Amino acid sequence: MGDDPDLFVLGSFVVACSATVARLPRAGETLRADSFLVDPGGKGLNLAVGARRLGARVDGLIAAGLDLFGDLAEAALRRADLPAGMLRRVEGATGAGIGLIDAAGENCIAVYPGANARLDAAAVRDASARLVRARCVLAQFEIGDGAIAEGFRLARGAGVATLLNPSPFRMPAPALLADTDILVVNAPEAEACRAELGLPEADPAAMIAHLLDRGPRLVVVTMGADGALARETGGPLVAQPAFPVTVVDTIGAGDAFTAGLAVSLAEGLPLAESLRHAAACGACVVRRAGVFDALPDRAERDAMLATLPP
């Protein structure tokens, strides 16, 4: 991977533990799990792996601790054919996540950031020569604002596109939103944006319009089985239906969608086609438990595309 990267991911790594249960528990309740899985994960790693599986050249930064879980991060990068130089080992514990998936495939997740919180603006500046050669810089909120703000500042200065998925949700600072070209949120995150901004509308289309006024040139709202909505500045609202698949586990579907979207946009494909590719990637992931091995390659994505005529 000696060529300039297509995508530079300001990433995160967590040891992702998940259990399937008949239903999500009530407060104070203990349930018997039907299965348990430990996977290399984190939204940033998922983005990087998903994009690499689709054939993109990927670089970035990911932090892990000086512990056994950090060794898993090194192994995960090797398995995914990602550059070893993406990983920074730091003092402290590696990030970890715990997810519960019910019989319908819906989930709830808690994430401990651990070493991810140590990825800072200085680390991003150290990697600036690599970052500014990419076509797009991707970030999510399992790392701190300082690293993302610095990365997006450097990217915008070099004419590189930026993509933000503000998950786990916190309202992006106005300056960060202004430096974001592509904003990808799910329906609960869009609703949280609406509440934070004090807007009365509960309509995703109206929410997209408000967010476009705050800096991004493209806003995408993913809505699970209801598909996705997107709009570019000055363009029409574009609706993408979900692919009809049997859902096993929805964890990672949004990351697969975002990776698929970023790769297709970096390849210069139109928005409608890019959304279709992204939805196909998300559909591939929800059909099986876990994320790392479920993220599709290009052949799997294209096979899914063939199941839903344009």
Side-chain angles (χ1 to χ4, degrees), residues 90-111:
V90 299
E91 294 287 345
T94 298
I98 301 171
L100 296 176
I101 306 102
D102 70 12
E106 293 302 325
N107 67 77
C108 59
I109 306 170
V111 177

Side-chain angles (χ1 to χ4, degrees), residues 10-309:
L10 296 172
S12 57
F13 177 84
V14 302
V15 177
C17 302
S18 61
T20 57
V21 290
R23 57 175 174 78
L24 298 180
R26 295 183 288 269
E29 184 179 23
T30 300
L31 296 179
R32 176 186 179 276
D34 297 315
S35 67
F36 180 77
L37 180 67
V38 179
D39 234 358
K43 298 187 71 64
L45 180 73
N46 293 343
L47 290 175
V49 173
R52 182 68 190 126
R53 293 253 174 91
L54 294 170
R57 296 183 300 272
V58 179
D59 198 355
L61 288 173
I62 289 176
L66 297 174
D67 55 10
L68 290 176
F69 284 165
D71 296 341
L72 293 179
E74 291 187 2
L77 292 180
R78 288 194 300 270
R79 283 178 57 197
D81 190 31
L82 291 168
M86 289 181 64
L87 185 64
R88 293 176 64 94
R89 300 293 294 268
V90 299
E91 294 287 345
T94 298
I98 301 171
L100 296 176
I101 306 102
D102 70 12
E106 293 302 325
N107 67 77
C108 59
I109 306 170
V111 177
Y112 168 67
N116 297 303
R118 302 284 298 278
L119 191 62
D120 58 12
V124 174
R125 285 192 293 272
D126 288 344
S128 61
R130 294 149 50 199
L131 181 149
V132 299
R133 296 199 302 269
R135 296 184 185 182
C136 184
V137 174
L138 285 66
Q140 37 63 55
F141 273 178
E142 287 180 353
I143 60 174
D145 284 2
I148 301 171
E150 183 66 7
F152 280 21
R153 182 188 69 81
L154 292 167
R156 292 297 286 269
V160 175
T162 57
L163 183 155
L164 178 64
N165 173 215
S167 180
F169 182 79
R170 57 182 182 269
M171 187 66 198
L176 180 58
L177 202 54
D179 274 344
T180 298
D181 289 304
I182 304 164
L183 183 71
V184 182
V185 295
N186 63 23
E189 290 157 0
E191 171 58 20
C193 285
R194 183 202 64 76
E196 287 279 349
L197 295 171
L199 301 171
E201 301 94 338
D203 176 24
M207 186 67 250
I208 288 173
H210 283 294
L211 289 170
L212 285 171
D213 289 339
R214 286 162 171 79
R217 61 174 174 80
L218 169 61
V219 175
V220 180
V221 178
T222 62
M223 302 177 295
D226 292 326
L229 292 175
R231 186 180 156 202
E232 295 176 292
T233 300
L237 190 69
V238 180
Q240 170 60 51
F243 284 72
V245 296
T246 300
V247 175
V248 173
D249 177 1
T250 57
I251 293 177
D255 299 334
F257 180 102
T258 302
L261 178 72
V263 170
S264 293
L265 290 174
E267 291 174 350
L269 297 180
L271 175 59
E273 189 173 357
S274 296
L275 287 171
R276 182 173 163 78
H277 288 184
C281 291
C284 287
V285 167
V286 302
R287 295 181 302 177
R288 56 189 291 189
V291 180
F292 189 91
D293 291 324
L295 291 162
D297 61 21
R298 193 169 288 246
E300 292 169 318
R301 181 203 67 184
D302 291 349
M304 180 62 71
L305 287 170
T307 68
L308 186 65

